[in-house]
Amino acid sequence: MAQQQETRAGSADVAEGGFVDDVTDAAAREEAHTARGTARPLTVVGNPVLHRECAEVTEFGDELAALVDDMFASQRAAEGVGIAANQIGVDAKVFVYDCYDDEGVRHVGVVCNPVLDELPAERRVLDDGNEGCLSVPGAYHPLARPDYAVVRGQDAQGKSITVEGTGYFARCLQHETDHLHGYLYIDRLSKRERKDVLRQMAESTPRYETVPNDA
């Protein structure tokens, strides 16, 4: 997801209430991942890997750990706040994030095989803020999403985790989970809105290396 205008995989502890602690040592954990990783070119809308559901992660070893490191490095190079594996061309249900919530708290983590909780009606307060995507570079559009999200999945060691997000961080969790099920945020827009976003993309120059789509 684009910004608005210790152990190898960085496992986190469980905080009060059963949610993962992705706040403690956030900067150090992100720095360690990025130092080990290599930034890769990013896929853009139209690349087939972005438009189909990704494969479940079943192996939680060195190969996954190296992928996570490369994802953090790619995220930093693109100045993003979240990135899914298919955005660097890998067919695997895993995303990483380095995102601040609306209170200015930094969250850093990794989620494999994420599933969003269905929110009760009283928690579905919509926020129609701007949204952007590293796979739709240079374009932004308002999109209504709940301002609270809970994602359940596994960490890079295969341990079950639950991540809670509010505000902008909630948007990030929903955006990245969508990616792994084959949806970009522009798929949630009207045809006219989508056309406007693609026009913005066509008129912009990405700040980072991208993978050209086949003609």
Side-chain angles (χ1 to χ4, degrees):
M1 180 167 152
Q3 292 190 45
Q4 279 181 323
Q5 292 247 213
E6 43 319 77
T7 62
R8 181 174 173 81
S11 88
D13 297 323
V14 175
E16 183 178 356
F19 297 110
V20 72
D21 176 9
D22 56 8
V23 173
T24 302
D25 297 328
R29 290 186 288 108
E30 188 276 338
E31 180 64 38
H33 281 299
T34 300
R36 292 189 298 261
T38 300
R40 304 192 200 179
L42 300 189
T43 55
V44 296
V45 57
N47 188 305
V49 75
L50 293 173
H51 302 283
R52 60 174 182 259
E53 184 169 357
C54 292
E56 293 280 319
V57 175
T58 58
E59 299 291 332
F60 297 86
D62 290 344
E63 186 175 345
L64 176 62
L67 171 63
V68 167
D69 289 341
D70 285 358
M71 290 170 68
F72 272 104
S74 302
Q75 176 177 256
R76 182 189 284 190
E79 300 180 359
V81 298
I83 194 168
N86 53 359
Q87 292 185 273
I88 59 169
V90 179
D91 181 13
K93 280 187 179 173
V94 53
F95 72 79
V96 305
Y97 58 88
D98 178 8
C99 187
Y100 287 85
D101 61 27
D102 288 357
E103 304 303 317
V105 177
R106 185 179 183 180
H107 301 262
V108 171
V110 52
V111 184
C112 302
N113 305 321
V115 176
L116 277 168
D117 273 11
E118 186 70 28
L119 296 179
E122 63 270 17
R123 296 307 302 264
R124 288 187 58 83
V125 178
L126 295 181
D127 167 29
D128 61 357
N130 254 7
E131 193 157 326
C133 179
L134 299 178
S135 291
V136 192
Y140 298 86
H141 200 282
L143 176 64
R145 290 192 190 264
D147 68 355
Y148 175 73
V150 174
V151 171
R152 301 179 191 275
Q154 295 161 284
D155 66 13
Q157 290 78 42
K159 177 183 176 182
S160 295
I161 57 171
T162 305
V163 183
E164 178 185 43
T166 59
Y168 188 56
F169 181 40
R171 180 177 296 274
C172 176
L173 293 175
Q174 294 168 83
H175 180 109
E176 301 308 331
T177 300
D178 270 358
H179 266 303
L180 300 179
H181 289 85
Y183 297 102
L184 282 73
Y185 85 98
I186 62 173
D187 295 325
R188 297 185 176 275
L189 301 176
S190 69
K191 289 183 179 179
R192 184 174 66 178
E193 292 167 338
R194 179 187 172 100
K195 184 177 180 180
D196 177 62
V197 169
L198 294 177
R199 176 192 56 78
Q200 292 179 50
M201 175 181 164
E203 293 175 353
S204 68
T205 300
R207 306 183 308 273
Y208 41 85
E209 187 178 1
T210 60
V211 178
N213 291 334
D214 293 335

